[in-house]
Amino acid sequence: DAGVTQSPTHLIKTRGQHVTLRCSPISGHKSVSWYQQVLGQGPQFIFQYYEKEERGRGNFPDRFSARQFPNYSSELNVNALLLGDSALYLCASSWAQGTYNEQFFGPGTRLTVL
Amino acid sequence: AQSVAQPEDQVNVAEGNPLTVKCTYSVSGNPYLFWYVQYPNRGLQFLLKYITGDNLVKGSYGFEAEFNKSQTSFHLKKPSALVSDSALYFCAVRDRGGQNFVFGPGTRLSVLP
């Protein structure tokens, strides 16, 4: 079975640009979460979506937005990129919204902002 | 607010020796606790979790973790370390009403041959 997939693998953008990152969850998983992992730090929670609705939001500016599609895949959008947005963006899926469910992570998208 | 501390940035251990990676947490109420491992240029892989019940939890690849409520700790252990265990280890907590994981800063484990 395929795990969580993310695209693209790497991305280079310049300040002020916009970026869209994509995630496909494990088949049967209905919950998708996004995390930002800056080099040398643990992942920081950005969003959680379940059944196409936003169920949680971390402490990130409004430049960050996301959505979940009917097939449970998800997009993370970041507008007006800043140098500080350079990070590994991780997508994680779980089969339900329950807080005891472990999340399964994709390989991440490495975003570099120049 | 939830928080997780991993007091050691780096842990070095000789192959075949037991290893411990420490984690302490702060959360209101009873927590759900998780350990993940990250290999270079890879996403996080789930190792084990504590929900309720037995304080000693067994997980993947021979790892186990002990939940200690009085010390608010959830240390990761393995009886005999392998070189292939060398990686970055993250402890995470989720409170029973929350929707997100809070991760610790990570501990880099190096197992020396």
Side-chain angles (χ1 to χ4, degrees):
Chain A
D1 286 341
V4 177
T5 60
Q6 293 185 244
S7 63
T9 305
H10 295 87
L11 203 53
I12 299 175
K13 293 286 189 179
T14 58
R15 283 177 296 175
Q17 286 189 311
H18 163 270
V19 69
T20 297
L21 310 181
R22 295 177 175 84
C23 171
S24 292
I26 292 171
S27 178
H29 285 193
K30 298 182 178 181
S31 176
V32 171
S33 297
W34 287 95
Y35 293 83
Q36 180 195 66
Q37 186 180 18
V38 174
L39 194 63
Q41 298 181 18
Q44 299 291 315
F45 172 71
I46 309 175
F47 288 109
Q48 188 200 24
Y49 278 77
Y50 177 70
E51 290 285 12
K52 302 177 286 296
E53 291 188 6
E54 182 183 303
R55 301 302 179 112
R57 172 186 283 257
N59 188 25
F60 279 81
D62 292 343
R63 299 185 296 107
F64 289 76
S65 64
R67 55 180 175 169
Q68 186 177 33
F69 299 100
N71 66 353
Y72 302 108
S73 67
S74 178
E75 284 183 354
L76 175 69
N77 295 283
V78 187
N79 293 322
L81 285 167
L82 304 174
L83 295 179
D85 295 331
S86 295
L88 180 67
Y89 288 84
L90 295 166
C91 173
S93 75
S94 59
W95 74 273
Q97 194 185 1
T99 53
Y100 53 82
N101 289 300
E102 62 268 30
Q103 294 182 334
F104 295 86
F105 284 80
T109 293
R110 173 76 60 189
L111 172 65
T112 301
V113 182
L114 302 177
Chain B
Q2 308 123 277
S3 65
V4 176
Q6 294 181 242
E8 300 156 318
D9 293 336
Q10 173 95 29
V11 170
N12 296 320
V13 64
E15 187 175 28
N17 283 359
L19 69 86
T20 298
V21 183
K22 296 179 180 178
C23 170
T24 59
Y25 66 90
S26 174
V27 67
S28 57
N30 294 317
Y32 295 122
L33 295 158
F34 303 79
W35 275 101
Y36 283 83
V37 60
Q38 187 175 35
Y39 295 97
N41 301 312
R42 302 280 294 277
L44 278 68
Q45 294 180 29
F46 169 74
L47 283 178
L48 50 81
K49 66 180 178 183
Y50 171 80
I51 300 174
T52 187
D54 194 348
N55 290 342
L56 185 63
V57 179
K58 294 188 182 297
S60 306
Y61 312 119
F63 284 94
E64 58 189 28
E66 186 168 11
F67 172 64
N68 187 317
K69 188 173 183 177
S70 63
Q71 297 186 3
T72 61
S73 67
F74 189 55
H75 300 332
L76 182 70
K77 301 181 180 183
K78 187 174 182 180
S80 178
L82 300 173
V83 172
S84 58
D85 293 330
S86 298
L88 193 54
Y89 289 80
F90 291 97
C91 180
V93 67
R94 209 176 196 183
D95 71 38
R96 300 200 173 204
Q99 298 303 323
N100 59 294
F101 283 75
V102 174
F103 283 86
T107 297
R108 185 165 300 282
L109 173 67
S110 291
V111 181
L112 308 174

